[in-house]
Amino acid sequence: MNQKTQKINQFQKIDTNHEDIIHDIAFDYYGKKLATCSTDRSVKIYQKSSNGEWKQINSITNQDGPVWKVKWAHPEFGNILAACSMDRYINIYEENRDFNQKDQSKKNNQKYNKYVYKINKDKQGTWRNTQIYDNESIEDMKFGPKHLGLILAIARADGIIRIFMFKDMLNLQIQEKITEINITKLGINSISWSKNRFDKPMIAIGCKDFNTSQIKHYCNVYGNTIKMPEEVEKSECFQIYAINIIANQQKLNQQIKIYPDETKQNEFLHSQAVNDVSWSLHNGKSFHLIGTCGKEGAIVWYLKNLEENQLQVLQKVILNYNLEVEVWKISWNLSGQLVSTTDSAEEMNVYQSKGIGQWQNVKTVKLYQDEIYF
């Protein structure tokens, strides 16, 4: 690669019109729509035009506090967007498109007259809002894979995961909390669903450690000292749970034991907080591919199924590790051949798979004075 820094023309700067910090962005399944959320209490939606430009098509300001997260559901269920904010409400937005008649032509037929309508695909509809209230701050939320139906998992700041199922696609207000899992008292940063339809439903969880937990924060603010049990203070920050999504069934959610090698010795996979976790699409692989990141860098985990509710680490690949840099986000492309990370050094790194356990940094993007370089 040429060592000389070059400007990347294919990157496009989008004027979001937000009045404050942007906390999260999310592309829809096809990459044609983009949602952003901000401290200014708004969610804005953009659409990619035929010439490649992104244009704002909607701005939603229903929240009463800063909006932390936005996530799209699978398009099979329609244009559905979830947003959570500091007011402890989860807002589910569903687009109602009014397909007004644009052109009408009469077609003669011996038996009947038939009208043919051309739908105005560029016309945008209104967004109907359904609210779910929770009595705790929400740290993350993810819609489940489409084969499980329209379900939404929310991760609370107190370390509890709740899963809601929407039973009527025509009325999202008809929903049910189907399960609740108490993960850790230290809190949760991120969750990610397994996309494998041939395996049991599973969620990977990135947890806080004691130094980043609300408990530590309260101790610093109020000058109190809270003695936590050692098994809580030094708990595993990367966990996986098998989920029971069938309501009113006695089968419990169970934690998946992850063994670092064939000896099945219990060792910590992450001893420090995991900021983000991302489960790659299965794509016919014989193993699970999960990315985690935090102060210990960005890590790719190769896991295989053992006995019931047991996984074994086939390989652990550390993509980048720097004591002075904390990795905030990690995400996969659809094929699982590319993984990208963003960190506290204001860099985005893209890694490409060169074989099982082999990853190469193919691009580093930096931001200098509103210009993007590599």
Side-chain angles (χ1 to χ4, degrees):
M1 181 182 292
N2 189 352
Q3 298 297 323
K4 184 178 179 180
T5 304
Q6 302 178 27
K7 187 174 181 179
I8 301 178
N9 295 323
Q10 62 263 35
F11 280 87
Q12 186 179 147
K13 182 179 178 181
I14 302 174
D15 185 3
T16 63
N17 297 316
H18 279 295
E19 299 176 357
D20 213 320
I21 298 172
I22 297 174
H23 293 289
D24 195 19
I25 65 171
F27 287 94
D28 72 344
Y29 182 82
Y30 298 110
K32 299 296 185 181
K33 282 188 173 67
L34 171 67
T36 62
C37 63
S38 168
T39 301
D40 64 8
R41 302 185 299 175
S42 69
V43 174
K44 297 184 184 295
I45 302 171
Y46 311 84
Q47 182 165 302
K48 190 175 183 180
S49 61
S50 56
N51 60 4
E53 294 183 357
W54 290 90
K55 296 182 179 180
Q56 180 180 323
I57 58 175
N58 286 99
S59 180
I60 308 170
T61 55
N62 284 346
Q63 280 84 2
D64 293 328
V67 188
W68 302 127
K69 297 281 185 178
V70 285
K71 301 297 174 189
W72 292 94
H74 193 277
E76 181 177 293
F77 306 108
N79 284 335
I80 297 176
L81 180 70
C84 63
S85 61
M86 198 173 181
D87 60 6
R88 299 182 178 180
Y89 276 99
I90 303 163
N91 289 270
I92 313 296
Y93 300 106
E94 180 185 15
E95 185 180 20
N96 292 325
R97 296 181 64 181
D98 182 15
F99 295 119
N100 289 336
Q101 177 181 330
K102 181 180 178 181
D103 184 34
Q104 177 178 316
S105 60
K106 191 172 182 179
K107 182 179 179 180
N108 294 324
N109 191 289
Q110 294 180 353
K111 295 183 178 180
Y112 57 89
N113 291 329
K114 183 177 180 181
Y115 289 88
V116 179
Y117 297 92
K118 293 183 179 179
I119 294 175
N120 183 357
K121 295 182 179 179
D122 295 328
K123 183 177 178 61
Q124 302 302 322
T126 58
W127 291 79
R128 183 171 57 188
N129 182 25
T130 298
Q131 287 189 326
I132 301 174
Y133 177 74
D134 200 278
N135 58 357
E136 185 60 59
S137 176
I138 307 300
E139 295 292 327
D140 196 13
M141 59 182 182
K142 295 286 172 58
F143 284 102
K146 69 172 184 177
H147 65 271
L148 298 180
L150 186 58
I151 61 176
L152 178 68
I154 63 171
R156 304 177 1 148
D158 60 358
I160 293 176
I161 291 178
R162 288 179 173 174
I163 300 178
F164 295 87
M165 175 175 287
F166 300 88
K167 295 188 172 183
D168 188 350
M169 296 300 100
L170 300 178
N171 186 2
L172 296 183
Q173 293 184 356
I174 302 177
Q175 88 251 165
E176 178 184 1
K177 185 184 77 172
I178 57 176
T179 190
E180 178 175 303
I181 319 167
N182 196 338
I183 304 297
T184 173
K185 294 181 179 179
L186 298 179
I188 300 172
N189 282 326
S190 178
I191 56 176
S192 181
W193 286 91
S194 167
K195 285 82 174 176
N196 186 3
R197 66 182 303 123
F198 301 107
D199 210 338
K200 54 183 169 293
M202 291 185 288
I203 289 184
I205 306 158
C207 304
K208 300 177 184 291
D209 58 14
F210 180 72
N211 292 325
T212 59
S213 66
Q214 283 188 340
I215 298 173
K216 178 73 171 181
H217 173 72
Y218 292 149
C219 291
N220 293 336
V221 171
Y222 298 106
N224 298 329
T225 301
I226 300 177
K227 180 62 177 177
M228 297 293 295
E230 185 176 357
E231 63 271 15
V232 174
E233 186 171 344
K234 297 182 179 180
S235 58
E236 173 62 63
C237 292
F238 171 40
Q239 302 182 32
I240 297 177
Y241 269 76
I243 307 299
N244 171 34
I245 64 168
I246 302 177
N248 302 322
Q249 192 181 75
Q250 297 301 319
K251 184 179 179 181
L252 299 177
N253 306 298
Q254 294 185 339
Q255 183 176 2
I256 305 292
K257 293 183 179 179
I258 308 176
Y259 297 108
D261 51 39
E262 295 180 354
T263 62
K264 293 188 177 182
Q265 298 295 323
N266 290 323
E267 296 180 11
F268 282 159
L269 302 181
H270 270 283
S271 58
Q272 293 182 305
V274 175
N275 293 328
D276 195 19
V277 57
S278 182
W279 206 315
S280 171
L281 286 174
H282 192 258
N283 293 331
K285 300 182 181 71
S286 60
F287 50 84
H288 302 281
L289 197 58
I290 303 177
T292 60
C293 65
K295 291 183 178 179
E296 298 169 279
I299 301 175
V300 172
W301 300 90
Y302 293 81
L303 306 174
K304 73 172 183 178
N305 291 323
L306 293 179
E307 301 173 5
E308 182 72 15
N309 295 327
Q310 291 183 4
L311 293 173
Q312 178 189 320
V313 177
L314 292 175
Q315 201 161 357
K316 170 186 175 182
V317 181
I318 301 177
L319 299 179
N320 61 343
Y321 178 63
N322 187 333
L323 289 173
E324 298 179 354
V325 176
E326 185 170 359
V327 185
W328 296 111
K329 291 288 183 181
I330 186 167
S331 60
W332 299 93
N333 71 337
L334 286 177
S335 66
Q337 298 298 308
L338 291 174
V339 61
S340 63
T341 64
T342 56
D343 55 44
S344 58
E346 298 182 354
E347 290 183 351
M348 182 186 74
N349 292 283
V350 181
Y351 301 87
Q352 184 177 14
S353 174
K354 299 297 183 180
I356 296 179
Q358 300 178 8
W359 293 85
Q360 179 182 350
N361 188 335
V362 294
K363 186 168 292 187
T364 297
V365 179
K366 295 185 178 181
L367 181 63
Y368 291 129
Q369 297 178 351
D370 297 332
E371 292 186 333
I372 298 176
Y373 294 86
F374 76 95

